[in-house]
Amino acid sequence: MKTKAMTRKKLFAMFIALAQCFACLAGDVKPAPAFPGKSHAMLRLEANERFILLPVEEKTGICNISIIYDNKSRQSLNVRLAANKVDYYVPLDISGHKGREILLDINALGDVLKNGSFKDYVCWQHIRQSADFDTANREPHRPLYHHTPAYGWMNDPNGMFYNNGEYHLYYQWNPYGSQWENMHWGHSVSRDLIHWENRPAVLAPDDLGTIFSGSCVVDKNNTAGFGAGAIVAFYTSAGKKQTQSIAYSTDNGNTFTKYHGNPVIIGDVPDFRDPNVFWNEELGKWNLILAAGQEMRIYSSADLKNWTYESSFGKGFGNHGGVWECPDLMKVSSPDGKTEKWVLVCNINPGGPAGGSATQYFTGSFDGRTFTCDSKPETTKWLDYGKDHYAAVSFDNAPDGRQVLVAWMSNWQYADRVPTQQYRSANSIARDLFLFNDGGETYVGSAPSQEYLKLRGKKTLHKSFSAGRKAFTAQLPDDDGTCEIKISLDPAENSKLQFTLNNDKGEKVTVEYDSSTDTLSMNRHESGTTGFSNEFACRTAAPVLGGTLKELRMFVDKSSIEIFANGGRTVMTNIVFPSEPYKSFTIESSKKTKVKSLDIYDKTYKRP
């Protein structure tokens, strides 16, 4: 018996030794942390790999981590270190400290006692170093042709510009978790607005604060003195106060140097952010517009560094159900080029037509100093009537004088709870803006950008028929359910049409058009997973502008549906989370309706 017991002990010891050996090979952090206080830990280690992989649990409290060596703090970040279980890992890049002995000074910012003792957090057994970080997609809902970050949280698109054949899209990014925190500017680049290459972040927090939203311009004439063609970024430094800062790039936006004279604009209200800059040819100067509470402030400058306040817009105009954010100010033309007006885009949260965040706009004139709205103050115009269209801004220097706009495809009511973890949030497809008239009022339409036509996939169905109470059903072309659907029709008077996306689980999204009221709606109550928020399951509705519904385009991806009625005169964007892809599409009508054509296109824009 003694021999067997000794053998078991030896085998157990060998097992432990092997486990420790493999742990070392895997780069585990071996020194145990010290705990100077109940909410405080210190972990000393030799930085010998590119990353420290930090274990995250989304439902626990935030911990602050400082990297210290030579008695100085070199970097600080907030992360939800795993207390009870590991949801996923995030990479902390320590390549700049490689070969040094560094100290991780870790402080729990909330009450750790609700999760037990800080010493008992499971993170201490799972923190490890690694030469790489796996970004292979592990999310069934990740879109195939919409822009997403490789990992981490994303919200507002920022600093978008076009130059040398490339579209650059920066975005509010948290590289240390899939909830809002640690705002950086992430970076992606595309040549066609569809296939995006993720590149390293370009702006990180500093002593002035984290990096909030802003814009970029191509300074062709070297007005700022950073060099002809330099890319100049404007962003909000969100520290104790919100101030406006700049940075410049001489390598086409891949890396930026922060200006030594930051901040360049200091405000006098708490919500003072999101600078949007453009060159005003008539004025011969730069203009800047930013959000200040529930108004927009306009500035001018000759050199992008010294700014003069010109005027404010907003009091008494449009919707004031929430804070005004993420402005844009641009010239927009009608498709025939005969009408041109200035358009002021104003994103608002909350107060949207479907609840939560949304994008409103104003049309009018602008002399470089004052914006004058041409609608009555009580008039509110929405760029998109869906639940998931926010922080919409345009690209600077877009080709052919186009105004190309992209929005964040989520809603602040539930953005941090949607059922993904590796990443959170996607951006809308790009849209070209245009003016049109309806009932004597000028509106802004947004059509899918022309690139989507150029790269459209093969047509898998073309059919003309009369729709009635008996549903016509078409199979979608791919198992993943991604497609574009285009319908041309002539609705009967006082009829109701239904267009439904279905899957084998009984999940569905219904788009309905009521010709008696010219109303278009989308219902996602039974779309799939909806229980993560009381505000998610809903029906969104919009007036069909530009007359009776004649054309409808639907862009269906793994977790979103965007519909464009009558060429983009009415637009609706909603995200969805079906448990399996939608596989069929049905049309039915309360009265016989002529469907001139139903065209379905294969998954058009899959990532290469």
Side-chain angles (χ1 to χ4, degrees), residues 395-428:
F395 284 89
D396 180 68
N397 197 44
D400 306 319
R402 296 158 56 197
Q403 299 294 355
V404 182
L405 179 132
V406 169
W408 178 48
M409 206 159 51
S410 196
N411 192 306
W412 280 114
Q413 288 182 332
Y414 45 71
D416 62 347
R417 285 168 280 164
V418 297
T420 64
Q421 283 193 333
Q422 182 187 28
Y423 79 100
R424 275 216 173 89
S425 300
N427 285 322
S428 71

Side-chain angles (χ1 to χ4, degrees), residues 285-305:
K285 289 184 177 181
W286 297 96
N287 278 127
L288 179 151
I289 183 170
L290 58 76
Q294 287 197 335
E295 67 178 17
M296 300 302 183
R297 295 186 183 177
I298 297 169
Y299 298 77
S300 66
S301 173
D303 63 3
L304 294 172
K305 301 171 184 174

